[in-house]
Every structure is written in C-alpha cells, then in structure tokens.
Amino acid sequence: MKIQELVAKNIFKQSGYIASEKTCIIKMDANENPFTIQEPLKKVLRKKMLEVDLNRYPAAGSPDLRKRYAKYFGVKENMIMLGNGSDELIQILCMTLKGRIKGVLVPVPTFSMYKIIAVNTGNRVVEVPLDKKFDLDVKAVTDRIKNDFPALIFLSSPNSPTGNLFSRAKIEIIIKKTPGVVVIDEAYGTFSGQSLISLLKRYDNVIFLKTLSKLGMASIRIGFLIGNPNIIAQLDKVRLPYNINSLSQIAAGFFLDYEEEFSKQIKEIIQRREELYTGLKQIKWIKTYSSRANFIFFSCAFDSNHIYSRLLAKGIAVKNLSILPLIPNCMRITVGTKKENEALIKALKSITPKQGA
Ligand SMILES: *Cc1c(COP(=O)(O)O)cnc(C)c1O
C-alpha cells in the first residue's frame, strides 16, 4: 500500500495540529482557566453525572441545552447549535459552506485550527496578513474577496495569539463587502468585556462562535455556533446526531446553574492579567502587547526557543511562537493564578539575554 496515493494530497502535505503533551507543574500554554471546580460544587456535579444511563444514547441535538443557552446569549432557539468544542463547529462550517470556489479566508497570525480544518475539508485557504497594530487590513481583505470569493472568513476577536480586538468598523465593512459568511469567533469574548453579537440583527451573513473551553470547562468540549436560522438548518444536516455526549451535556447545564461562580473566576483572571502585564513590562528584553483575552502576547529581543526550553526546565509550559509571519521570537502566555504568574515572572527574570545569544 502506498499511503500517499490514498490520502488527499493537501492532507498528506500538511503537518497537522500539535497539541502539547508535556506534563508541567505550571500550564500556561493552552489558554485554559487555571481554577478548577472546588467542593462542594464538585460533589453536585458528580451526583448529576452518576444519574446518567450510560447504556443510552445522549439527547440528539442537545435540545434542553439549546433552549437554555439561547436564553443565555439572548437569541432565539433556532439560532444556536452545539458542537463538540467550537473546533467541531469550524469543521461543520468548512464542510457545509464551500461556495463556488471552495475557499476560506483568514487573517494571519490567527488561531491555527482554521487553516488546518479548512485544508482537511478540501478548501483553499487565502491568508491575509494583519496590519502593524494586529488589526484587520481591510483593503487587502476586500481585494482578496473580490478575486477569490471565499465562502467563509474567520475572524477571532479577541484574536489569538495577539490578544487584541479587531475594530468593529473594519469587521462591518468586511461583512458588507463579502458575498460569503463572516464567522466572528468570540472564544475570548468574555475576557474582553464586549461582544458584537448584536450584529446578528443587522446582517444575515454573520455567525458567532463561543466556547466553554476558555471559561473553565475545556475538558467537556462544548462550543456554540450562533447565527441566521437558514444557515443553522443547513449546518445541522452535517452535524453528527449524537455529537455531545451525555456527561458533557450534564456539565454544560451545570455551568449555567453555577454561572456566577465561573464569572467570579473570570473577573479574577482579568485582574491577574493586568498584574501579569505590569510584571512583563518590567523585563527589558520583552516587548509586551496589551491583551483583551486570558493570555498575553509578547516578543523577545533574543531567541524564544531558548527561553521556551529554559521555562520548560523550570516546569512552566508556554506557547512558543518563534516563526510567526509578522514578528520573530514571540510567545503567548496564559494568565495563571497569582502564584503561577509570580513564578513565571521570577523565571523570566532569571533568564539573561547573554545566555540566549
Ligand atoms: C481555543 C479556541 C477555540 C477552540 O475551542 P474549543 O471549543 O475548545 O474547540 C476556537 N477558537 C479560538 C480562537 C480559540 O482560541
């Protein structure tokens, strides 16, 4: 068997997403919430989970959760769909919306899964660099729209890994100029204190993505797609019937039951983000960018591979972005607990440019 003759060319050529498997004492690489659920709440969740009949299929399409989360996001029930993480929803979008040219447009740098999923579902990918402030280059985007006619444009706002919000006016121009759909991924929206979800009232070609992964429940894989019912009806044909398992459905219900507890954690993370930002600013060889998410993006004056391995040796995992198209030697650090942030700053201060040269 010649595997390269059987696998789609574009899949064979690409390297795929590499999820970190390193076990570290301090995990600051995946933008998770650093706080876990404490007793007695954990006990409440455990009890609910024990009541599940594991011999039965889960509720197809998660109807109860759709109802509850529609209310939570302030939309109608036929405007929301649940996914096994928003990654699955990105995949469903890429499988369903292909337009005439099977194309997806993404700014760069951004969340790497857009491109990986688009390629794996047989789409062409058009990449448009962000401007110097990491905002959208509207002219470049609209030029490519004219030429390439992408069915989907993915905009993560706040953007990962850069941490900034895109300008609302620029997003609106793109929504108006594209014949396709603009997906606004608000995975980090809660940390920014704002959402553009009201745009749904004005445009029929905009879709929002949300997820519980960054809010304290990465393990259960729950994401939300919110948009025009006409689009949702088509996407729902592609969604696998039992995409959300029963235990995840219970946990997603639990999230809403105790939403206040999670909100408190988010507030604390936002406060810690500002402390971490101040701490990073004091280190001379680091250029820090302000963030509206639960992570901070910065560039280093010397080789970030070296800094990455020094931190790893101290039990701290971060996201090393040494080969970004715009600027070299960058890193993305997830906001941790007070203790974790202090340990990180201390570790960074112990690394000197001389050692990295
Ligand atoms: C983490 C992340 C996601 C993926 O979320 P899951 O729900 O865990 O699949 C989607 N978009 C962006 C921008 C992210 O950072």
Side-chain angles (χ1 to χ4, degrees):
M1 178 189 70
K2 282 197 177 145
I3 190 72
Q4 64 269 39
E5 285 171 11
L6 303 176
V7 175
K9 216 187 220 156
N10 286 339
I11 295 177
F12 192 79
K13 274 196 311 202
Q14 73 145 305
S15 48
Y17 185 82
I18 301 157
S20 156
E21 282 170 15
K22 300 210 170 62
T23 42
C24 263
I25 306 155
I26 301 181
K27 252 184 102 0
M28 302 177 109
D29 60 339
N31 297 344
E32 297 144 326
N33 175 339
F35 307 109
T36 186
I37 302 163
Q38 303 290 328
E39 301 290 358
L41 283 196
K42 214 164 192 172
K43 196 171 164 195
V44 176
L45 180 57
R46 214 160 34 227
K47 186 166 175 288
K48 281 178 191 276
M49 285 194 166
L50 284 172
E51 285 164 10
V52 174
D53 286 324
L54 290 175
N55 56 321
R56 301 292 178 198
Y57 281 110
S62 325
D64 289 350
L65 285 176
R66 272 179 70 184
K67 221 177 270 165
R68 290 188 70 191
Y69 275 95
K71 210 168 148 201
Y72 178 64
F73 292 122
V75 298
K76 295 204 186 87
E77 213 182 306
N78 61 359
M79 292 175 72
I80 187 166
M81 179 174 152
L82 271 73
N84 187 1
S86 35
D87 284 350
E88 186 194 23
L89 297 166
I90 296 166
Q91 190 180 45
I92 292 174
L93 282 164
C94 287
M95 287 195 285
T96 315
L97 302 180
K98 298 226 161 159
R100 284 199 290 277
I101 55 109
K102 297 189 182 137
V104 166
L105 184 146
V106 290
V108 278
T110 192
F111 183 49
S112 61
M113 286 308 294
Y114 301 140
K115 183 178 179 180
I116 295 172
I117 294 171
V119 167
N120 287 344
T121 49
N123 285 281
R124 284 206 300 134
V125 179
V126 175
E127 295 181 294
V128 181
L130 293 170
D131 69 15
K132 286 207 178 82
K133 289 182 169 162
F134 303 137
D135 201 355
L136 296 162
D137 181 343
V138 171
K139 187 172 181 310
V141 171
T142 49
D143 283 352
R144 294 306 294 268
I145 289 173
K146 260 184 248 153
N147 288 327
D148 296 272
F149 216 108
L152 283 165
I153 299 175
F154 286 100
L155 304 177
S156 169
S157 188
N159 187 41
S160 174
T162 54
N164 58 305
L165 286 162
F166 293 141
S167 111
R168 180 191 170 120
K170 290 183 174 182
I171 292 177
E172 283 200 62
I173 294 172
I174 294 170
I175 295 172
K176 284 184 200 152
K177 294 248 166 132
T178 183
V181 167
V182 174
V183 181
I184 303 175
D185 186 342
E186 293 190 339
Y188 303 101
T190 318
F191 302 98
S192 75
Q194 70 174 66
S195 169
L196 293 182
I197 202 154
S198 63
L199 291 180
L200 284 173
K201 294 200 184 88
R202 312 233 316 264
Y203 305 102
D204 65 1
N205 64 329
V206 57
I207 281 178
F208 284 84
L209 291 176
K210 306 262 188 186
T211 176
L212 296 188
S213 293
K214 314 289 150 75
L215 305 179
M217 289 210 148
S219 62
I220 67 168
R221 313 297 302 124
I222 294 278
F224 308 93
L225 184 149
I226 303 159
N228 178 337
N230 290 328
I231 304 176
I232 302 260
Q234 298 304 317
L235 298 173
D236 213 39
K237 297 179 194 170
V238 177
R239 183 184 58 76
L240 297 174
Y242 304 115
N243 62 330
I244 313 289
N245 74 70
S246 302
L247 297 174
S248 291
Q249 291 193 29
I250 298 256
F254 171 89
F255 179 88
L256 278 190
D257 294 342
Y258 295 94
E259 205 261 324
E260 264 177 48
E261 293 298 317
F262 290 95
S263 286
K264 270 189 228 156
Q265 296 178 349
I266 305 305
K267 278 211 186 87
E268 174 162 358
I269 292 167
I270 293 170
Q271 192 190 334
R272 299 274 167 256
R273 175 183 73 202
E274 298 313 313
E275 288 167 11
L276 183 59
Y277 180 74
T278 309
L280 288 168
K281 278 231 141 182
Q282 290 164 359
I283 302 171
K284 285 202 183 65
W285 50 268
I286 284 178
K287 179 168 163 44
T288 317
Y289 295 89
S290 70
S291 167
R292 300 294 294 270
N294 64 341
F295 57 83
I296 294 181
F297 180 72
F298 61 81
S299 65
C300 309
F302 56 95
D303 186 14
S304 68
N305 294 314
H306 170 73
I307 299 158
Y308 173 75
S309 47
R310 288 289 310 275
L311 289 174
L312 213 53
K314 291 170 190 284
I316 304 173
V318 301
K319 183 91 172 172
N320 182 18
L321 302 160
S322 56
I323 44 159
L324 275 189
L326 290 185
I327 28 173
N329 296 318
C330 289
M331 291 206 155
R332 192 196 66 195
I333 287 186
T334 308
V335 178
T337 62
K338 193 170 171 52
K339 246 181 155 174
E340 289 171 336
N341 296 339
E342 284 167 1
L344 172 82
I345 295 289
K346 192 172 162 224
L348 283 172
K349 281 182 175 165
S350 76
I351 303 172
T352 63
K354 219 175 147 197
Q355 289 169 304

